[in-house]
mmCIF file of all heavy atoms in Angstrom:
data_model
loop_
_atom_site.group_PDB
_atom_site.id
_atom_site.type_symbol
_atom_site.label_atom_id
_atom_site.label_comp_id
_atom_site.label_asym_id
_atom_site.label_seq_id
_atom_site.Cartn_x
_atom_site.Cartn_y
_atom_site.Cartn_z
ATOM 1 N N ILE A 64 4.641 -8.512 -3.816
ATOM 2 C CA ILE A 64 3.951 -7.750 -4.866
ATOM 3 C C ILE A 64 4.664 -7.916 -6.234
ATOM 4 O O ILE A 64 3.990 -8.053 -7.224
ATOM 5 C CB ILE A 64 3.757 -6.305 -4.453
ATOM 6 C CG1 ILE A 64 2.631 -5.648 -5.220
ATOM 7 C CG2 ILE A 64 5.005 -5.493 -4.651
ATOM 8 C CD1 ILE A 64 1.318 -5.803 -4.675
ATOM 9 N N LEU A 92 5.795 20.897 -13.387
ATOM 10 C CA LEU A 92 5.456 22.151 -14.043
ATOM 11 C C LEU A 92 4.737 23.020 -13.079
ATOM 12 O O LEU A 92 3.764 22.607 -12.410
ATOM 13 C CB LEU A 92 4.632 21.970 -15.282
ATOM 14 C CG LEU A 92 5.178 21.113 -16.383
ATOM 15 C CD1 LEU A 92 4.181 20.976 -17.549
ATOM 16 C CD2 LEU A 92 6.487 21.737 -16.901
ATOM 17 N N ASN A 111 16.903 29.569 -11.547
ATOM 18 C CA ASN A 111 18.327 29.358 -11.956
ATOM 19 C C ASN A 111 19.125 28.563 -10.924
ATOM 20 O O ASN A 111 19.923 27.709 -11.342
ATOM 21 C CB ASN A 111 19.028 30.706 -12.265
ATOM 22 C CG ASN A 111 18.545 31.313 -13.536
ATOM 23 O OD1 ASN A 111 17.955 30.660 -14.440
ATOM 24 N ND2 ASN A 111 18.602 32.626 -13.631
#
Side-chain angles (χ1 to χ4, degrees):
I64 202 85
L92 299 178
N111 287 338

